[in-house]
Amino acid sequence: MLRTHHCGQLTKGDLGKRVTLAGWVRFYRDHGGVLFYDIADSHGSTQAVFDPEATTSGDLDRLEGVLNSIGREYVVAVTGTVRDRVEGTTDPRNPTGEIEVLIEDAEVLNRSKPIPFEVAEQKNSMLPGEDLRMRYRYLDLRRKEMNANLRFRSRLISSARRFLESEGFMEVETPMLTRSSREGARDFLVPSRTMPGHFYALPQSPQLYKQMLMVGGVERYFQIARCFRDEDSRADRQPEFTQLDLEMSFVDMDDILSMVERMYAFVWKELFNEPLPIPFPRIELKDALSKYGTDAPDVRFGLEMEEVTDLVRAAPYEIFQKVLSKGGMVTCINLKASMLREQDADGAVGRKQVDRLIEWAKGQGMGGLTWMRMTPEGLSSNIVKYFPVEVRKAIAARTAAEPGDLLLFLAGPREGTLKAGGQLRLKLARDLGLLEGKGHQFVWVVSCPLFQRDPATGGLTSFHHPFVRPVGDVIPEGKECATAMGRSYDLVLDGSEIGSGSLRNHDPAMQRRVFSILGMDEATMQREFDFFLEALEYGAPPHGGIGMGIDRLCAMLLGCESIRDVIAFPKNKKFQSLVDGAPTKVEEAKLSELQLLSLAEDDDGA
RNA sequence: GCCCUGGUAGUGUAGCGGCCUAUCAUGAAGCCCUGUCGAGGCUUCGACUCGGGUUCAAAUCCCGACCAGGGCGCCA
């Protein structure tokens, strides 16, 4: 080892020891002869000091020469004696702040060019633009925060792995060069050299492989699986991502949900040393949509929507009547007076803020937003005269309105209105600080349909994917098949979907039936899924599982703005890897070898 | 494919028609300083993304491109 201790290690218990530290020079200070260096590694930082009056090294001139050549982020090894700090010069913020190393020898292990942005923690955030951080990702990773993020991710995976192994799960790797399918997202294709004109696809998930592992008798499988989907990025989505993928045989839905819950409880204990309440609440999809306006609800604050369509039917309020006549709906959020922070409480949310909300609602594609305020005398607002007293009372009762509460109504086509209401909830929660101090909350979203209508084609598509086993193992005949429900479940954390799974079809006849409802004829089934349908023919056990997004999970638990902060080498919005410049053009010869011809516009002149 | 936001020294920012020979901080280079710890003091260096246009005058307004991010679509 080039060092005897790491930089977060030394304390008063080490006084008098002769030690060698190695690390990066984060700061240095020259007091006209007395030189201070903060030597940092991934464990911490330790102050090393050169004191010409105290140092007894043989060759002071050489040592001073070395020390004076050192710049920021130089990699150095210093050897010296651990000593107590001078009275009043300890640094209580640093675990090693009570001691320092008196430098007796120093060596520059490597130099550094002036760094393009700050690696050291600064008081005022000077975090550079993301493109620069990506380009010099190795420097970005040297930052304490990024180092901690990667460490957290590693511990989370390690903890989950230990739990699953203790439960008898087997970690199995599945191929990265896989069969392309027309289902799902766009594939990343890889040309085959040995079979010109043929292509592999990078896996969108290990779905079919893990099901075949169940047929293969693995019974309990998991994998930290890299997945690839060639669809546009978001803050919580990039084209290559990591799933904690698992699958179990001879289980029903509750077995899988319970296993996942116990896994997170175990992880929580190890990572946060806190109990995680299990089981997680379950909410039916239709309730999630009507109360939270999304299939991934954040249930940590109130502000649930209450539909009042039936009540306002009796009110001659033109805007609502127009919406109702078109088959639309009216929903209401009660902004409780008790939710307002003290500084806002006296005037509740004023007219000006309501006006701003109305403008915001228009930006969400709504016609506007209607409001009423609850007073001791009942509901009041500029339009309350259009609402008969009985209607007002019924609305107040359904929304549990108390004096001071503000009722916000959205009216319009069902889907868009619920969606806007869901956005309104989140906006209010943000604006009013309702999430401050709130912990994390998992919730299962269950009772999803098997199919949904594709608005473009009018045909049926899978709600989740085609391998979901229907509730009761029954799909109604004819047009009624669209009403079939699936034995599937989504895991949601704080309003983000972090996992999705189901029981699978192990009966090949049922799997064929699903394919055929999705519009696949026998020939297509044969072409795309013959191998899989055949596998099911050979004694496939009942099975099911789940895949959970590790990037998203880590980002949420760490409070990161984007998953890029928990991925060592992420892609930018155009899928470029700025640190190494991928993707690149390749030589003509490489294409020829693969029997490929590029049709991209030739910009070689540039 | 579409919508929104933003591009000012190495980095982070201020300025948003004339007070701009562009602010401040940090950095880099140099000097001073024997107990600091984001050390301090002094000196120096260093920028308006690009191309059109409007105007007597553009970092500032308009149009277009490019770059980055956020979102819609997409993500079985």
Side-chain angles (χ1 to χ4, degrees), chain A residues 13 16 22 49 57 66 76 143-144 151 171 193 196 252 300 316 318 329 393 409 440 443 460 468 514 523 565 571 601:
Chain A
V49 60
S57 167
V66 169
V76 299
R143 292 170 45 237
K144 203 170 169 185
R151 168 89 39 199
E171 185 166 8
R193 175 182 58 82
D252 62 28
R300 291 175 297 167
E318 200 179 331
M329 62 127 26
K393 279 187 176 160
F409 299 84
H440 297 289
V443 54
L460 290 178
V468 175
V514 171
D565 283 348
K571 301 278 190 284
E601 276 182 48

Side-chain angles (χ1 to χ4, degrees), chain A residues 26-146:
Chain A
R26 208 90 328 149
F27 298 105
Y28 54 88
R29 299 171 286 283
D30 179 352
H31 280 257
V34 181
L35 308 175
F36 297 92
Y37 298 87
D38 293 335
I39 316 286
D41 59 21
S42 69
H43 294 87
S45 103
T46 301
Q47 173 164 286
V49 60
F50 171 73
D51 185 343
E53 290 179 358
T55 301
T56 54
S57 167
D59 192 348
L60 273 187
D61 284 348
R62 192 199 70 86
L63 183 54
E64 265 190 290
V66 169
L67 291 174
N68 281 320
S69 75
I70 287 174
R72 280 191 162 202
E73 295 302 319
Y74 272 41
V75 190
V76 299
V78 298
T79 298
T81 307
V82 181
R83 71 170 188 184
D84 220 346
R85 290 216 188 166
V86 175
E87 181 75 26
T89 63
T90 58
D91 182 0
R93 295 168 300 177
N94 191 339
T96 66
E98 295 208 315
I99 56 89
E100 64 191 2
V101 173
L102 180 65
I103 300 174
E104 285 150 15
D105 194 16
E107 185 187 355
V108 172
L109 300 175
N110 209 344
R111 301 193 297 176
S112 171
K113 287 168 64 175
I115 46 180
F117 57 83
E118 295 297 318
V119 170
E121 274 200 322
Q122 294 282 6
K123 192 161 150 196
N124 300 318
S125 170
M126 296 226 326
L127 203 56
E130 242 193 328
D131 43 348
L132 204 67
R133 290 174 56 203
M134 297 297 172
R135 164 130 191 259
Y136 299 99
R137 190 58 163 179
Y138 37 84
L139 293 178
D140 193 35
L141 294 177
R142 207 133 93 197
R143 292 170 45 237
K144 203 170 169 185
E145 184 190 356
M146 288 302 294

Side-chain angles (χ1 to χ4, degrees), chain A residues 11 23 31 36 54 56 80 98 135 202 221 324 367 409 445 461 501 579:
Chain A
T11 63
H31 280 257
F36 297 92
T56 54
E98 295 208 315
R135 164 130 191 259
L202 301 181
Y221 141 91
L324 294 177
F409 299 84
V445 175
T461 61
V579 74

Side-chain angles (χ1 to χ4, degrees), chain A residues 137-209:
Chain A
R137 190 58 163 179
Y138 37 84
L139 293 178
D140 193 35
L141 294 177
R142 207 133 93 197
R143 292 170 45 237
K144 203 170 169 185
E145 184 190 356
M146 288 302 294
N147 198 281
N149 288 359
L150 293 188
R151 168 89 39 199
F152 178 89
R153 181 181 175 126
S154 168
R155 290 177 59 214
L156 185 144
I157 290 173
S158 155
S159 178
R161 181 176 267 133
R162 265 177 285 125
F163 172 83
L164 292 170
E165 280 171 351
S166 77
E167 291 286 338
F169 281 79
M170 196 194 294
E171 185 166 8
V172 183
E173 291 153 277
T174 53
M176 301 296 274
L177 296 176
T178 77
R179 178 174 176 144
S180 177
S181 154
R182 289 187 310 163
E183 306 297 308
R186 197 177 292 113
D187 280 327
F188 281 99
L189 294 176
V190 180
S192 162
R193 175 182 58 82
T194 50
M195 293 182 66
H198 291 60
F199 294 83
Y200 302 97
L202 301 181
Q204 297 188 19
S205 81
Q207 184 66 34
L208 295 180
Y209 291 109

Side-chain angles (χ1 to χ4, degrees), chain A residues 226-291:
Chain A
R226 195 63 70 81
C227 307
F228 304 85
R229 294 179 192 171
D230 189 359
E231 300 290 351
D232 290 353
S233 293
R234 290 288 183 280
D236 63 355
R237 207 168 87 195
Q238 69 153 39
E240 59 182 320
F241 57 99
T242 304
Q243 281 196 349
L244 172 51
D245 192 46
L246 63 86
E247 196 80 3
M248 306 168 74
S249 292
F250 309 120
V251 289
D252 62 28
M253 207 169 113
D254 286 341
D255 296 318
I256 298 168
L257 302 198
S258 155
M259 183 65 73
V260 171
E261 286 163 349
R262 289 192 297 118
M263 181 187 81
Y264 281 112
F266 180 86
V267 167
W268 236 248
K269 184 82 183 102
E270 293 216 322
L271 290 189
F272 306 119
N273 198 27
E274 276 176 20
L276 178 70
I278 57 172
F280 304 150
R282 299 186 193 182
I283 181 169
E284 297 201 356
L285 175 70
K286 63 175 187 334
D287 294 332
L289 292 174
S290 67
K291 289 169 80 171

